[in-house]
Amino acid sequence: QVQLVESGGGLVQPGGSLRLSCAASGNIFRISAMGWYRQAPGKQRELVASITSGGSTNYADSVKGRFTISRDNAKNTVYLQMNSLKPEDTAVYLCTAEYRRTIIGSTLDAWGQGILVTVSS
């Protein structure tokens, strides 16, 4: 079983910064992509940012210019640097990964438990 362990969440004031980390472990041959979703009260889950093993990135319009996603392929770890945080960024952030168990296996998905980010004065 593949596990995704998130860390780095917490309470921060508006304008502050946080860095989320997500480390994947288990029966993994290769992770093709990792990303971060978030779900806030009263809102639908949305994709915040994603990154492929080749380094291609994608961001939600609401976080462009403020958030940066990066990864360490050797560690199967993805990071989300969040700057200039706003109260609207308050949400549970969930890490996700697309991976293969073997070189000929099908692509599978894994999800973290979620980590809370609260932006408030």
Side-chain angles (χ1 to χ4, degrees), residues 27-63:
N27 188 14
I28 303 171
F29 171 71
R30 182 180 180 180
I31 294 177
S32 58
M34 298 185 75
W36 292 92
Y37 284 78
R38 69 183 181 187
Q39 187 159 18
K43 297 182 179 180
Q44 297 187 48
R45 186 180 64 183
E46 65 173 340
L47 177 64
V48 178
S50 63
I51 186 168
T52 68
S53 60
S56 179
T57 59
N58 189 48
Y59 297 93
D61 289 340
S62 60
V63 306

Side-chain angles (χ1 to χ4, degrees), residues 5-21:
V5 180
E6 301 130 325
S7 62
L11 174 65
V12 66
Q13 293 184 335
S17 298
L18 285 174
R19 190 193 193 205
L20 304 182
S21 299

Side-chain angles (χ1 to χ4, degrees), residues 57-113:
T57 59
N58 189 48
Y59 297 93
D61 289 340
S62 60
V63 306
K64 287 181 179 177
R66 300 188 297 120
F67 291 12
T68 302
I69 190 169
S70 61
R71 82 277 185 270
D72 185 335
N73 290 336
K75 296 181 179 180
N76 287 333
T77 300
V78 65
Y79 308 93
L80 186 66
Q81 179 66 45
M82 304 184 293
N83 299 326
S84 301
L85 283 162
K86 305 175 181 180
E88 306 90 87
D89 296 317
T90 296
V92 173
Y93 285 71
L94 302 106
C95 178
T96 187
E98 297 179 347
Y99 70 98
R100 292 176 180 267
R101 292 177 177 175
T102 66
I103 192 170
I104 61 172
S106 60
T107 300
L108 302 173
D109 297 329
W111 289 85
Q113 292 293 314

